[in-house]
Amino acid sequence: MNISTVAVELAEELVDQLLPPADMPPACFGFNPQLGRRLAEAKTRLDRLERDATSRDLAALEAARVEFALASRAIADELIASGLHAGAGND
């Protein structure tokens, strides 16, 4: 049996396997998509400014870092308010 035959047989075996359900807290199901979008946009802007070594606008970079931190905190606040941290034992 050559390598390609083994790879095809393994792939076929894996196709029918069910993935176990994700261990996701109920708080994540009602997650606010606007906060997620805000965080994603802040991260994208921050990444772009950090990669742009030619123009290094330090004021824009600092503003992007602040917005990313604020967006992260807003998401964390919502998750905490919805009970995600309850029972974690790490207050």
Side-chain angles (χ1 to χ4, degrees):
M1 192 177 295
N2 63 28
I3 293 175
S4 62
T5 305
V6 172
V8 169
E9 287 177 8
L10 286 175
E12 288 173 356
E13 288 176 17
L14 295 175
V15 168
D16 294 330
Q17 290 184 0
L18 296 176
L19 294 174
D23 186 21
M24 200 151 84
C28 292
F29 292 116
F31 185 74
N32 183 338
Q34 292 159 332
L35 289 178
R37 192 174 309 110
R38 177 184 176 191
L39 182 62
E41 289 172 1
K43 176 73 166 84
T44 302
R45 182 167 187 252
L46 179 59
D47 286 348
R48 182 178 46 79
L49 288 169
E50 286 179 339
R51 280 192 310 269
D52 188 8
T54 58
S55 69
R56 276 297 181 200
D57 181 352
L58 297 180
L61 184 59
E62 184 60 29
R65 287 180 176 149
V66 168
E67 174 55 21
F68 181 72
L70 291 173
S72 299
R73 288 183 65 108
I75 287 176
D77 288 343
E78 180 170 300
L79 293 172
I80 289 168
S82 63
L84 184 63
H85 77 297
N90 297 334
D91 289 316

